[in-house]
Short mmCIF file of all heavy atoms in Angstrom, two decimals:
data_model
loop_
_atom_site.label_atom_id
_atom_site.label_comp_id
_atom_site.label_asym_id
_atom_site.label_seq_id
_atom_site.Cartn_x
_atom_site.Cartn_y
_atom_site.Cartn_z
N SER A 310 -1.97 9.03 17.19
CA SER A 310 -2.30 9.91 18.32
C SER A 310 -1.69 11.29 18.16
O SER A 310 -1.02 11.81 19.07
CB SER A 310 -1.85 9.28 19.65
OG SER A 310 -2.61 8.15 19.95
N GLU A 311 -1.88 11.86 17.00
CA GLU A 311 -1.49 13.25 16.68
C GLU A 311 0.02 13.45 16.60
O GLU A 311 0.48 14.59 16.50
CB GLU A 311 -2.11 14.22 17.68
CG GLU A 311 -3.64 14.16 17.74
CD GLU A 311 -4.22 15.09 18.77
OE1 GLU A 311 -4.08 16.32 18.60
OE2 GLU A 311 -4.81 14.60 19.75
N THR A 312 0.79 12.37 16.61
CA THR A 312 2.26 12.49 16.57
C THR A 312 2.78 11.73 15.36
O THR A 312 2.31 10.63 15.05
CB THR A 312 2.87 11.90 17.85
OG1 THR A 312 2.36 12.61 18.97
CG2 THR A 312 4.40 12.01 17.82
N GLN A 313 3.77 12.32 14.70
CA GLN A 313 4.40 11.61 13.59
C GLN A 313 5.29 10.51 14.16
O GLN A 313 6.25 10.79 14.90
CB GLN A 313 5.24 12.57 12.75
CG GLN A 313 5.78 11.93 11.47
CD GLN A 313 6.61 12.90 10.66
OE1 GLN A 313 7.82 13.05 10.86
NE2 GLN A 313 5.97 13.59 9.73
N ARG A 314 5.00 9.29 13.78
CA ARG A 314 5.70 8.16 14.39
C ARG A 314 6.78 7.59 13.48
O ARG A 314 7.68 6.89 13.93
CB ARG A 314 4.66 7.08 14.73
CG ARG A 314 5.16 5.97 15.61
CD ARG A 314 4.06 5.24 16.30
NE ARG A 314 3.24 4.42 15.44
CZ ARG A 314 2.40 3.49 15.88
NH1 ARG A 314 2.32 3.25 17.17
NH2 ARG A 314 1.64 2.81 15.04
N ASN A 315 6.68 7.86 12.20
CA ASN A 315 7.62 7.30 11.25
C ASN A 315 7.63 8.20 10.02
O ASN A 315 6.61 8.81 9.68
CB ASN A 315 7.21 5.87 10.87
CG ASN A 315 8.39 4.97 10.58
OD1 ASN A 315 9.49 5.43 10.30
ND2 ASN A 315 8.16 3.68 10.66
N LYS A 316 8.76 8.27 9.34
CA LYS A 316 8.88 9.18 8.21
C LYS A 316 9.68 8.53 7.11
O LYS A 316 10.70 7.87 7.38
CB LYS A 316 9.55 10.48 8.67
CG LYS A 316 9.53 11.60 7.66
CD LYS A 316 10.17 12.86 8.27
CE LYS A 316 10.01 14.07 7.37
NZ LYS A 316 10.49 13.90 6.00
N GLY A 317 9.27 8.73 5.87
CA GLY A 317 10.01 8.23 4.72
C GLY A 317 11.02 9.25 4.23
O GLY A 317 11.27 10.28 4.88
N ASN A 318 11.61 8.99 3.08
CA ASN A 318 12.67 9.85 2.54
C ASN A 318 12.14 10.86 1.55
O ASN A 318 12.44 10.80 0.36
CB ASN A 318 13.75 8.98 1.88
CG ASN A 318 14.43 8.07 2.87
OD1 ASN A 318 14.68 8.45 4.01
ND2 ASN A 318 14.71 6.85 2.44
N PHE A 319 11.36 11.77 2.03
CA PHE A 319 10.81 12.83 1.19
C PHE A 319 11.31 14.18 1.72
O PHE A 319 11.58 14.32 2.91
CB PHE A 319 9.27 12.79 1.20
CG PHE A 319 8.71 11.78 0.24
CD1 PHE A 319 8.63 10.44 0.60
CD2 PHE A 319 8.27 12.16 -1.01
CE1 PHE A 319 8.13 9.50 -0.28
CE2 PHE A 319 7.75 11.22 -1.90
CZ PHE A 319 7.68 9.90 -1.53
N PRO A 320 11.40 15.18 0.82
CA PRO A 320 11.87 16.50 1.28
C PRO A 320 10.88 17.15 2.23
O PRO A 320 9.72 16.75 2.33
CB PRO A 320 11.99 17.30 -0.04
CG PRO A 320 11.18 16.57 -1.03
CD PRO A 320 11.17 15.14 -0.64
N GLY A 321 11.37 18.19 2.91
CA GLY A 321 10.56 18.87 3.90
C GLY A 321 9.33 19.56 3.34
O GLY A 321 8.46 19.99 4.11
N ARG A 322 9.23 19.66 2.01
CA ARG A 322 8.02 20.26 1.40
C ARG A 322 6.78 19.40 1.70
O ARG A 322 5.65 19.88 1.60
CB ARG A 322 8.18 20.36 -0.12
CG ARG A 322 9.32 21.22 -0.60
CD ARG A 322 9.32 21.36 -2.11
NE ARG A 322 9.49 20.09 -2.83
CZ ARG A 322 8.52 19.47 -3.49
NH1 ARG A 322 7.31 19.98 -3.52
NH2 ARG A 322 8.77 18.35 -4.13
N PHE A 323 7.02 18.15 2.02
CA PHE A 323 5.93 17.23 2.34
C PHE A 323 5.76 17.21 3.87
O PHE A 323 6.71 16.88 4.59
CB PHE A 323 6.23 15.83 1.83
CG PHE A 323 6.23 15.72 0.34
CD1 PHE A 323 7.34 16.10 -0.40
CD2 PHE A 323 5.12 15.22 -0.33
CE1 PHE A 323 7.33 16.01 -1.78
CE2 PHE A 323 5.11 15.11 -1.71
CZ PHE A 323 6.22 15.51 -2.44
N SER A 324 4.59 17.53 4.32
CA SER A 324 4.36 17.53 5.76
C SER A 324 2.96 17.01 6.03
O SER A 324 2.13 16.90 5.11
CB SER A 324 4.52 18.94 6.34
OG SER A 324 3.55 19.81 5.78
#
Side-chain angles (χ1 to χ4, degrees):
Chain A
S310 291
E311 302 178 65
T312 301
Q313 188 180 87
R314 192 160 71 166
N315 213 339
K316 190 177 188 306
N318 297 323
F319 278 82
R322 299 186 298 107
F323 292 81
S324 63

